[in-house]
């Protein structure tokens, strides 16, 4: 916390600096709390009547609060967390890996259509009618991978009347943005919507003192087209097409290692380096500028992230049967996503000759000089993904005591995920040899680590839910869903070494390779790295790797497949003694399909079983007139099978496995809005979250293999290689800050010429772990963020001028903190940073 926290708290309290993730759309005059209609249960209801913990933001509300990004949504929404590597978590239900074969725990929907792309959640606010965030398992109506909850982004639609809006924004970091949208009639019963957005940030947040460009620059654009038609008196169809294109310097993350020596890794057995490319002599002892300032780097390679070949097509058709509504929801989406960064994190370039005085004592390898060794390494990561889904549901239109919905769902996905680390300027990396001297396929990327995975997923479901008012003001809800998931694919890994340990060079020379040739060669070490031997026979001899076989383009491959099914559902009772009170008790069962840890280096036994959760919730929603609204929820979840990659003992060594753990999650959420006097509205939310592992032992923390870090929980005897397993029981689930509070206020001055609104938001987020080991290197310390805005709107509601400052006190905070293998100076720690202070002006014009 900053030493100015006390002053800031006074400013915030006295000058309207705190806010809630809004649950209602206020009138601009802020005189009373307005009703908000949502579709959280696939039919229109007042948010206060829904027996589910849900937070919703309209486009107008997002303007007032300054909620522009997914990070903003997560910051002010109870129990919602997000890191900008596309990981959403609700109430502790998230994911620890993006590895192919795994699934998210929070389902993302766009207009009710399932999506795998966070681009949907990053759609500019001008194009969004409303964003709904449902907390807790939604295993009946939303089903697929909604074990933690669901986010539904509802787009603006074509209108009967012609209208449009243009927005222009300029801010610091050489940023600007332009959005435009037009919609209206084409002919009787035919309407359109056309929109486009462009955003640029010419100056990155993370300054590069080296020769490469700054990080966190942005260049994005999108276009959207919709056409909607009335096909007779009772049928409406809408076709929607969107395209996104991003070219960003990737993320806002940085590595805080004190001295950068990323490949100087000593094996746990002490037998020498286990680095796949560099030897200990190549360690870099320069100073990392991020130690003094996390917004500084020193590299010679640009970081970037690009989203290309993106297309989104949605079709929805609604037919009114009188007694019911028949609806079809279909969607197709595809994209290519690529990122790259400077893996050695330094301005070093190669190549160079590297002499070694002695590798193994007197013998044939003395002296030895490695020729043309490059010190320049770069990561690459790609996603090539496409998916389609179809849903048909039929719901009742009755005003009577019984309402129901039934439906069927289908989903298909194809996904490829090549990634790795390559070197620049080392010709020997492109044509490696085997440890036996036999020829092996070329290595066209020059990668010393290359992994790839392919996945095809099929999913089918049928669901139904009823709401029965069995007595005055008492409603019973019961729902059931059957889901069948099927996955198949493969996993590939290749490891190539330029400077291996002495024993490996000895093996190469023993195979008849002259030292003069070995000086410039690289070795395909995949069998050694994966199976512990020089040939494929070592893989066949181990049951954990016996299913591996040579990959045609190099390395080893494993075919993977699995299928799972589950019954999920909900049962609840709701009591509404009056129109302003909603009390409910609800049980929900959630499910996430099993899978495997793909694109992860041919992990032994890569499969994990499905996840299940039994969740119990008590909720209360209350309006006190039109001036005060209070919503609260208490919840408990019994979490079985939390999927996580962990390092375990494999005989006398350790290796990564994909495993299932158990946990319990309980907590409380509170949301309130209060308009004590005309023109003033105060808001607050608070979430308490206790999410702990209840069963999980015994595992090795890779950055702390000997369990020496504060908070370590050693359990059992050390392994033969010196690693000390730990128990995870009692450790917190990732991204579960115990306390998160957001408070705020808006005040409106009304004039003949229009209105002026001042708003402010302040959020305090407790510290949190980024993985399930209790290790300070994984800890994101508590942080605070305050935003301030002023909005002027003319009397005819045509112009709005907004001045804003976000993260006004320029607080440094981490969304997540992770670490890799230990080096001579400790593990490499990488953090995802919150945005620093940004400010600017926005102009909106409506016609």
């Amino acid at each position: 916390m900053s030493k100015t926290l006390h002053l800031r708290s006074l400013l915030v309290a006295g000058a309207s600096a705190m806010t809630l993730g809004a649950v209602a759309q206020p009138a601009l005059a802020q005189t009373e709390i307005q009703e908000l209609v949502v579709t959280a249960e696939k039919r229109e209801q007042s948010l206060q009547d829904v027996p589910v913990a849900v937070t919703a933001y309209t486009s107008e509300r997002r303007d007032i609060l300054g909620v522009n990004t997914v990070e903003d949504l997560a910051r002010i929404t109870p129990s919602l967390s997000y890191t900008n590597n596309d990981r959403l978590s609700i109430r502790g239900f998230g994911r620890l890996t993006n590895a192919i074969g795994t699934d998210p725990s929070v389902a993302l929907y766009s207009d009710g259509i399932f999506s795998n792309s966070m681009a949907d959640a990053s759609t500019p606010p001008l194009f969004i009618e409303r964003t709904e965030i449902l907390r807790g398992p939604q295993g009946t109506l939303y089903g697929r991978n909604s074990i933690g909850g669901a986010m539904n982004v509802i787009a603006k639609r074509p209108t009967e009347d012609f209208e449009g809006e243009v927005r222009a924004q300029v801010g610091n970091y050489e940023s600007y943005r332009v959005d435009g949208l037009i919609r209206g009639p084409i002919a009787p019963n035919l309407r359109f919507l056309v929109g486009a957005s462009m955003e640029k940030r010419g100056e990155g947040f993370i300054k590069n003192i080296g020769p490469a460009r700054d990080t966190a620059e942005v260049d994005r654009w999108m276009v959207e087209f919709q056409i909607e038609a009335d096909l007779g008196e009772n049928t409406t169809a809408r076709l929607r097409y969107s395209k996104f294109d991003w070219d960003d310097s990737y993320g806002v993350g940085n590595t805080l290692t004190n001295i950068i020596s990323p490949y100087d890794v000593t094996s746990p057995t002490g037998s020498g380096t286990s680095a796949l490319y560099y030897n200990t002599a190549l360690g870099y002892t320069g100073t990392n500028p991020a130690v003094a300032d996390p917004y500084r780097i020193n590299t010679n390679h640009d970081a970037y992230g690009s989203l290309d070949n993106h297309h989104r097509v949605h079709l929805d058709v609604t037919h009114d049967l009188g007694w019911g509504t028949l609806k079809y929801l279909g969607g197709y989406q595809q994209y290519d996503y690529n990122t790259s960064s400077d893996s050695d994190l330094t301005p070093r370039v190669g190549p160079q000759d590297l002499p070694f005085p002695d590798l193994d004592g007197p013998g044939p390898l003395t002296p030895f000089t490695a020729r043309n060794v490059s010190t320049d390494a770069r990561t690459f990561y790609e996603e090539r993904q496409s998916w389609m889904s179809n849903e048909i549901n039929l719901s009742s239109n009755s005003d009577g005591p019984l309402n129901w919905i039934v439906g069927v769902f289908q989903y298909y996905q194809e996904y490829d995920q090549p990634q790795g680390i390559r070197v620049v300027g080392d010709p020997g990396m492109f044509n490696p040899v085997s440890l036996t001297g036999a020829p092996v396929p070329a290595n066209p990327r020059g990668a010393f680590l290359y992994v790839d995975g392919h996945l095809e997923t099929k999913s089918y479901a049928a669901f139904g839910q009823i709401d029965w008012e069995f007595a005055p003001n008492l409603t019973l809800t019961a729902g059931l869903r059957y889901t069948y998931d099927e996955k198949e694919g493969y996993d590939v890994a290749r490891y190539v070494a330029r400077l291996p340990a002495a024993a490996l060079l000895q093996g190469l020379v023993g195979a008849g390779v002259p030292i003069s040739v070995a000086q410039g060669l690289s070795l395909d070490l995949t069998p050694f790295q994966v199976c512990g031997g020089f040939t494929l026979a070592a893989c066949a001899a181990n049951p954990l790797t016996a299913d591996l076989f040579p990959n045609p383009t190099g390395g080893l491959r494993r075919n993977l497949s699995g299928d799972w099914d589950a019954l999920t559902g909900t049962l609840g009772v709701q009591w509404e003694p009056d129109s302003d009170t909603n009390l409910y008790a609800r049980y929900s069962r959630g499910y996430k399909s099993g899978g495997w840890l793909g694109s992860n280096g041919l992990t032994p036994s890569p499969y994990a079983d499905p996840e299940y959760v039994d969740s119990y919730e008590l909720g209360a929603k209350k309006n006190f007139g039109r001036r005060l609204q209070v919503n609260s929820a208490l919840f408990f979840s019994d979490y079985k099978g939390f999927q996580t990659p962990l390092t375990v003992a494999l005989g006398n060594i350790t290796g990564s496995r994909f495993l299932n753990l158990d946990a319990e999650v309980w907590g409380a959420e509170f949301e309130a809005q209060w308009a004590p006097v005309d023109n003033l509205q105060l808001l607050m939310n608070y979430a308490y979250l206790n999410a702990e592992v209840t069963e999980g032992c015994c595992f090795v923390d890779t950055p702390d293999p000997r369990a020496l870090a504060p908070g370590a929980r050693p359990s059992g005897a050390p392994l033969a290689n010196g690693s000390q397993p730990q128990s995870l029981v009692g450790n917190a689930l990732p991204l579960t800050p115990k306390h998160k509070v957001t408070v705020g206020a808006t005040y409106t001055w009304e004039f003949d010429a229009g209105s002026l609104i001042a708003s402010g938001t302040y959020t305090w987020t407790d510290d949190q772990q980024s993985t399930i080991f209790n290790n300070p290197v994984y800890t994101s310390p508590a942080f605070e963020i305050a935003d301030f805005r002023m909005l002027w709107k003319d009397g005819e509601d045509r112009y709005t001028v907004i001045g804003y400052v976000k993260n006004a006190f320029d607080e440094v905070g981490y969304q997540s903190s992770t670490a890799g293998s230990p080096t001579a100076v400790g593990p490499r720690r990488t953090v995802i940073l919150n945005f620093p202070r940004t400010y600017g002006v926005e102009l909106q014009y409506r016609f």
Side-chain angles (χ1 to χ4, degrees):
M1 288 293 177
S2 167
K3 64 183 180 180
T4 58
L5 174 59
H6 180 64
L7 174 60
R8 295 178 190 179
S9 299
L10 292 176
L11 288 171
V12 168
S16 69
M18 307 184 177
T19 193
L20 160 72
V23 296
Q25 173 185 354
L28 288 179
Q30 304 289 300
T31 58
E32 61 181 30
I33 298 168
Q34 302 297 306
E35 181 183 39
L36 176 60
V37 175
V38 298
T39 54
E41 297 215 302
K42 299 205 172 186
R43 58 190 175 95
E44 291 189 350
Q45 295 174 278
S46 168
L47 184 143
Q48 292 303 98
D49 292 334
V50 178
V52 174
V54 56
T55 300
Y57 304 87
T58 63
S59 179
E60 293 83 357
R61 191 62 179 164
R62 291 179 65 164
D63 264 357
I64 292 174
L65 299 179
V67 178
N68 301 317
T69 65
V70 182
E71 288 89 349
D72 292 335
L73 286 169
R75 178 170 61 87
I76 66 175
T77 302
S79 302
L80 177 65
S81 297
Y82 173 75
T83 65
N84 67 358
N85 52 4
D86 279 3
R87 297 184 190 175
L88 275 172
S89 176
I90 294 179
R91 294 180 177 175
F93 296 88
R95 65 192 301 187
L96 276 182
T97 174
N98 287 341
I100 198 168
T102 65
D103 292 301
S105 296
V106 177
L108 177 62
Y109 285 81
S110 178
D111 282 340
I113 298 171
F114 183 79
S115 177
N116 275 316
S117 173
M118 288 305 299
D120 293 88
S122 300
T123 301
L126 176 60
F127 298 85
I128 300 302
E129 183 68 32
R130 187 173 67 255
T131 302
E132 300 174 3
I133 300 164
L134 290 71
R135 301 189 293 277
Q138 307 297 319
T140 304
L141 298 181
Y142 289 90
R144 178 170 176 76
N145 299 331
S146 61
I147 195 168
M151 177 185 292
N152 194 10
V153 182
I154 296 102
K156 290 181 178 177
R157 301 177 67 108
T159 52
E160 297 280 1
D161 299 320
F162 182 81
E163 62 180 49
E165 183 171 350
V166 177
R167 299 182 178 184
Q169 177 180 305
V170 62
N172 60 334
Y173 293 102
E174 300 178 7
S175 65
Y176 66 90
R177 179 176 194 144
V178 179
D179 305 306
L181 182 148
I182 301 173
R183 51 183 176 169
I186 299 175
N189 303 318
L190 186 64
R191 301 167 292 280
F192 80 99
L193 180 149
V194 176
S197 173
M198 181 181 67
E199 178 185 10
K200 289 185 179 291
R201 185 189 302 127
E203 182 182 353
F205 298 145
I206 300 178
K207 303 301 179 184
N208 197 339
I209 65 174
R213 70 178 184 178
D214 297 340
T215 296
E217 298 172 350
V218 167
D219 186 354
R220 298 184 176 186
W221 61 268
M222 72 158 288
V223 293
E224 176 153 321
F225 305 93
Q226 295 184 36
I227 188 165
E228 185 178 73
D230 297 326
L231 308 178
E233 293 184 359
N234 301 318
T235 305
T236 299
R238 180 183 60 146
L239 180 65
R240 178 188 183 197
Y241 170 79
S242 310
K243 179 175 176 56
F244 297 84
D245 190 285
W246 297 352
D247 183 10
D248 302 350
S249 53
Y250 177 56
V252 288
N254 202 358
T255 299
L256 308 185
T257 306
N258 187 34
I259 298 175
I260 304 171
S261 184
Y263 303 108
D264 182 8
V265 183
T266 300
S267 69
T269 60
S271 61
T273 180
S274 62
L276 298 177
Y277 185 78
Y278 298 112
N279 192 275
T280 54
L282 290 177
Y284 181 74
T285 58
T287 300
N288 180 4
V291 174
D293 183 350
Y295 291 94
R296 291 288 184 273
I297 55 175
N298 183 8
T299 68
N300 66 306
H301 175 60
D302 295 340
Y304 75 87
S306 65
L307 180 70
D308 303 303
N309 196 30
H310 179 277
H311 303 279
R312 178 177 65 188
V313 181
H314 287 175
L315 174 65
D316 56 74
V317 182
T318 303
H319 180 63
D320 187 351
L321 299 168
W323 52 268
T325 299
L326 181 65
K327 182 175 289 188
Y328 167 78
L329 299 167
Y332 171 83
Q333 197 163 166
Q334 68 174 46
Y335 67 81
D336 295 340
Y337 183 59
N338 296 271
T339 69
S340 179
S341 63
D342 192 322
S343 185
D344 63 280
L345 301 173
T346 75
R348 295 184 296 178
V349 296
Q352 67 185 52
D353 290 343
L354 188 68
F356 288 87
D358 194 351
L359 286 175
D360 63 345
L365 298 183
T366 305
F368 182 86
T369 299
R371 304 294 185 190
N372 295 318
V373 176
S374 175
T375 55
D376 193 359
R378 300 176 185 180
T379 65
F380 59 92
Y381 173 87
E382 302 175 26
E383 290 182 2
R384 298 190 295 268
Q385 188 168 188
S386 64
W387 66 93
M388 61 177 294
S389 68
N390 295 278
E391 179 180 321
I392 298 174
N393 65 62
L394 177 64
S395 58
S396 64
N397 285 343
S398 171
D399 292 329
L402 185 66
N403 283 282
W404 49 265
I405 181 172
V406 295
V408 292
F409 173 82
Q410 173 270 335
Y411 170 79
Y412 177 75
Q413 172 194 23
E414 291 188 2
Y415 188 9
D416 292 278
Q417 194 185 62
Q419 57 186 295
I421 307 175
R422 65 186 184 91
V423 293
V424 178
D426 187 342
M429 288 295 295
F430 292 90
N431 293 287
V433 299
S434 71
L435 286 164
T436 63
V440 295
N443 184 24
R445 291 178 182 260
F448 66 84
L449 169 63
Y450 175 80
V451 296
D452 192 5
H454 175 74
L455 173 69
E456 295 182 22
T457 301
K458 299 176 182 177
S459 183
Y460 307 93
F463 61 90
Q465 181 169 305
I466 63 169
D467 295 289
W468 175 37
E469 188 176 356
F470 62 93
N473 304 322
L474 285 169
T475 301
L476 176 71
T477 296
L480 194 66
R481 185 183 189 105
Y482 173 76
T483 302
Y484 173 79
D485 289 307
E486 179 182 317
K487 296 180 180 179
E488 62 179 30
Y490 58 80
D491 196 13
V492 171
R494 190 179 195 186
Y495 300 90
V496 176
R498 184 62 167 80
L499 292 174
L504 301 184
L505 280 174
Q506 184 72 52
L508 185 63
V509 174
V513 178
I515 291 179
S516 60
V517 176
Q519 287 175 323
L521 287 180
S522 58
L523 301 177
D524 190 319
L525 291 179
T526 309
F528 182 85
Q529 184 72 19
V530 176
C531 307
F534 290 173
T535 66
L536 195 60
C539 301
N542 187 336
L544 297 176
T545 57
D547 57 348
L548 300 180
F549 58 93
N551 186 56
T553 58
L556 296 174
R557 172 170 164 167
R558 170 191 285 133
N559 289 334
L560 298 159
S561 64
D563 59 88
W564 306 267
D565 65 341
L567 279 173
T568 57
T570 189
L571 183 65
V573 63
Q574 178 181 12
W575 180 40
E576 297 179 284
D578 56 62
S579 60
D580 290 322
T581 307
N582 177 7
L583 306 175
Y584 65 89
R586 196 174 184 106
Y587 161 78
S588 297
R589 181 167 174 82
Y591 149 82
K592 185 170 82 172
S593 91
W596 56 74
L597 200 62
S599 297
N600 199 56
L602 295 176
T603 298
S605 297
Y607 292 97
D609 293 331
E611 296 183 2
Y612 299 94
V613 61
D614 293 297
S615 182
Y616 308 85
E617 182 173 314
L618 295 175
K621 299 183 178 182
K622 177 67 176 178
N623 289 333
F624 297 89
R626 305 300 298 176
R627 292 287 190 174
L628 177 63
Q629 182 181 97
V630 178
N631 295 347
S632 60
L634 301 173
F635 56 89
F636 172 83
S637 297
D638 185 14
Y639 193 6
K640 299 294 186 183
F642 171 55
Q643 299 168 357
T644 178
L646 289 165
T647 301
V648 300
L650 300 174
N652 292 326
I653 63 172
T654 56
S656 181
R657 296 278 299 276
F658 199 30
L659 300 170
N660 296 91
L661 306 181
D662 293 343
E664 289 183 351
V665 181
W666 59 275
E669 296 160 349
F670 175 85
E671 299 177 284
Q673 298 182 86
W674 182 31
V677 296
D678 288 352
N679 301 331
L680 174 65
Q681 190 171 109
L682 306 176
L683 307 115
M684 174 181 178
N685 72 33
Y686 168 75
Y688 174 82
L689 192 56
N690 188 294
E692 293 186 354
V693 176
T694 57
E695 183 177 334
C697 191
C698 297
F699 312 105
V700 175
D701 184 8
T702 301
D704 180 31
R706 302 183 188 274
L708 300 177
R713 301 176 185 267
S715 180
L719 304 178
N721 63 9
S723 298
Q724 173 60 65
Q726 299 186 40
S727 171
L728 300 177
V729 175
N731 288 358
L733 291 180
L735 301 181
T736 55
K738 187 150 287 189
H739 304 276
K740 186 168 77 169
V741 60
T742 308
V743 289
T746 62
Y747 190 84
T748 303
W749 293 270
E750 302 215 22
F751 311 97
D752 292 339
S755 61
L756 181 67
I757 302 175
S759 75
T761 69
Y762 172 93
T763 300
W764 184 84
T765 303
D766 210 345
D767 59 43
Q768 56 187 325
Q769 299 293 114
S770 296
T771 187
I772 53 178
F773 283 97
N774 189 19
N775 185 335
V777 77
Y778 300 127
T779 302
S780 298
F783 62 87
E784 56 175 342
I785 292 181
D787 297 346
F788 299 93
R789 294 172 72 82
M790 293 289 290
L791 300 87
W792 174 80
K793 180 172 286 192
D794 74 307
E796 297 182 354
D797 193 23
R798 297 184 66 187
Y799 296 94
T800 301
V801 180
I802 303 173
Y804 66 89
V805 55
K806 299 175 72 68
N807 192 5
F809 303 114
D810 207 21
E811 281 290 300
V812 176
Y814 308 150
Q815 297 175 21
S816 67
S817 177
T818 56
S821 300
T823 72
V825 293
R828 176 197 279 197
R829 184 188 190 194
T830 300
V831 299
I832 303 296
L833 295 154
N834 287 327
F835 288 10
R837 180 192 297 118
T838 57
Y839 53 84
V841 177
E842 179 178 344
L843 172 64
Q844 301 177 357
Y845 171 66
R846 289 168 289 277
F847 56 89

